[in-house]
Every structure is written in structure tokens, then in C-alpha cells.
Amino acid sequence: LCAGLLFAMGRRLVPERPWLPALIFISSPVPFMATNTVNTDFMLTTMEALAVCCYVQARFGGGSRWWIDGMWAAFGLAFLTKGPPGLLPLLVVFVFHFTHRRPGFSLLRPVGLLAFVVVGFSWYAVVTQRHPGLLDYFLGHEVYARIATDKLRRFPEWYGPLITYLPTLTLGALPWLALASRKVRQAGLTRWRAMPEERRFLWLWFALPLVIFCLARSRLPLYVLPLFIPLSLLLAGALRDLPFTRRGVTSLGVWLLVMVAFKGAVGMFWVTDKDARLFADRIRPML
């Protein structure tokens, strides 16, 4: 689903090769290895991609304003998935909207806002009403403790981003990041004001949430998994003229086979208490 959404956004943002962002995403190590993990990070990535895809269709694709309503509903799904972190791309959308004003283009639509509230908050309202004290847990443990304290002991040190996010975003985007860096060195850096609006939006989508993740005191590598969506689009834009020779396609095929083999080896030989098969063995007698 993420690859399909990237293809849809690629048609608007990388029209020369709309399939390239999806290819980069599925062949980058971090998204590839994260696909079989059972947590909310990949679902959150999908919901955020859906929301921004709707915005891209409305802002850069000349689509109907109903896309904005779809954006709000998708952000409701993102909030339902993981709470406040799901709204970081919404912050990006608002910053971009107010710094790149377009007459007659509005983000505040009653239908969309209603969908956001109903989809995003109804479940929280029900469970906090049924379980007294749960709201304090959500706000205190899941929000405040993660952002402002080292209570969860997830790399809270000042250098935490260097050992969690830096290798995740660099090694996790190989080999495409290495190819793009070479192309950028050859072409030279583009100044912010000279960039097309679409590329400015992608840079904001990548950089602004990353800064917030770095400032928060709870840090884990997969927190930045949603950033591989804008990163894939940025890399595709830098590599839009990259020739795909027979040797290059063969190398990519070998790379994918190596990652499949590595994932299989991890699943077979890595012993961990988070292995879902162990959990299945425990609940099977109950069934």
C-alpha cells in the first residue's frame, strides 16, 4: 500500500519516473526489514502517506477539494494509530500552507474536520470513559514522558539521535542515498528559493519531523520509518536521470535477493522474546 501511495505521489512530484519512489522505498533496508514487524510504525507510515497523498493531489495535482477532506480523515486514522506522532505531517502541511499561500486554497473544511474528530478521537473517548485513569496514562506516559523525560530509557542522551536516527536514515537508505549523493555533488546544491514548491514541501516533510524526533527524549530507530516516504521521493527526484543499465538492474536484483536471504536468516536463527512464533506457541493451548 505504501508503494502504491508513493507511485500516486510520484506521478505529481516525480513525473519523469513515477515508479522510482516506490522502487526506492521497497528496496531500502529499513522499510524492507520493517515490513514483517508487528508494531504500529508501519501502519502509521501508511496512514501518514495516505494523508499526504491526498494533500498532494489537492495542492499539486489540481484535484478536487474533496481531497482535503480525505486528508483530514486519513490524519484521523494516523492519530488513531499512534496518537500525536501521527500529526507531524499535518504540522508540515500547515507550515507549508502558510509560507506558500495560494489564493482560494483552504485546509479548513467542515466535512474534513468532522471526519478527523470522529475517526481520530472516538475510540480514545470510549476507552477513557470506560477505564478511569487511562487519559492520565495517555497524556503522562505516552506523551509527556516520551517527549520531555528519560523515563523510558530510550537513548535520552544528547547524542541519542546520532546513534539511532543517523545510521537508520543513512545505512537504511542504501544504495540509493549513495547514488543520490554522487549526483548532487556533480550537479551542485540548489538554493531553497530556487527550488520548485514541490521539492520544498518534501524537504519540510522530511526535516521538520526529524528535528522534533531529535528533540524528544525517547528515541528508537523505527520512529523515523515514516520519514522514508519523503526521503524516497527526494531521492527519486535526485535520481530521475539515472540510467538503468543491464548491469544496474542485475545489481539491484542481487541486492534484493541478499535482503530476502538476510531477512530469512534473521527469522530462522535470531532468538528473541519478541518472536511472534513464541507468542503463538503460548496461546495455542488456550485455543
Side-chain angles (χ1 to χ4, degrees):
L1 183 55
C2 280
L5 292 169
L6 273 166
F7 176 76
M9 285 186 279
R11 294 179 60 189
R12 305 299 182 188
L13 304 176
V14 194
E16 298 87 353
R17 286 177 169 175
W19 46 268
L20 186 54
L23 177 62
I24 291 174
F25 183 79
I26 65 175
S27 60
S28 295
V30 166
F32 186 88
M33 296 302 295
T35 49
N36 294 104
T37 58
V38 182
N39 57 44
T40 56
D41 294 307
F42 223 113
M43 183 62 70
L44 178 67
T45 301
T46 305
M47 296 301 103
E48 290 185 7
L50 176 61
V52 179
C53 182
C54 291
Y55 175 76
V56 166
Q57 296 291 338
R59 176 65 190 246
F60 304 113
S64 167
R65 294 180 181 180
W66 287 102
W67 284 109
I68 297 298
D69 296 326
M71 178 198 77
W72 281 109
F75 274 125
L77 290 171
F79 188 84
L80 177 63
T81 302
K82 205 173 182 180
L87 302 184
L88 287 177
L90 181 59
L91 175 63
V92 173
V93 167
F94 271 101
V95 170
F96 183 81
H97 177 75
F98 286 110
T99 56
H100 298 73
R101 290 184 178 274
R102 177 176 293 180
F105 187 85
S106 176
L107 296 177
L108 304 179
R109 289 174 51 81
V111 174
L113 292 172
L114 178 63
F116 171 71
V117 171
V118 172
V119 174
F121 289 87
S122 57
W123 178 81
Y124 289 99
V126 170
V127 296
T128 54
Q129 189 275 330
R130 289 181 178 178
H131 304 281
L134 192 57
L135 181 60
D136 292 336
Y137 172 81
F138 280 148
L139 297 178
H141 181 80
E142 295 295 334
V143 179
Y144 176 76
R146 290 175 182 270
I147 295 175
T149 74
D150 60 355
K151 182 178 179 180
L152 299 182
R153 301 185 181 277
R154 295 175 176 176
F155 304 99
E157 303 84 1
W158 65 267
Y159 54 84
L162 299 178
I163 59 178
T164 53
Y165 301 147
L166 182 61
T168 302
L169 292 170
T170 53
L171 301 179
L174 293 175
W176 305 101
L177 185 61
L179 294 172
S181 62
R182 186 174 61 182
K183 296 282 290 184
V184 169
R185 286 197 303 268
Q186 293 172 351
L189 294 175
T190 303
R191 292 184 178 181
W192 177 259
R193 292 184 178 180
M195 287 184 185
E197 282 193 352
E198 295 88 343
R199 194 178 304 174
R200 292 183 197 174
F201 173 73
L202 291 177
W203 274 113
L204 276 175
W205 185 10
F206 177 78
L208 186 56
L210 179 59
V211 170
I212 295 174
F213 283 132
C214 290
L215 292 176
R217 301 291 300 279
S218 176
R219 306 175 181 111
L220 288 177
L222 286 185
Y223 285 179
V224 295
L225 179 63
L227 299 187
F228 277 86
I229 299 293
L231 180 58
S232 298
L233 289 160
L234 285 167
L235 292 175
L239 297 172
R240 66 183 71 201
D241 299 324
L242 180 70
F244 276 79
T245 62
R246 178 177 297 180
R247 179 180 178 183
V249 173
T250 302
S251 299
L252 178 60
V254 172
W255 172 258
L256 291 170
L257 288 175
V258 168
M259 288 202 298
V260 170
F262 180 76
K263 179 181 283 191
V266 168
M268 292 175 63
F269 302 112
W270 186 31
V271 179
T272 171
D273 60 352
K274 296 183 182 296
D275 192 329
R277 291 169 296 189
L278 300 179
F279 182 69
D281 291 338
R282 293 173 184 172
I283 66 172
R284 190 172 292 113
M286 304 177 188
L287 302 177

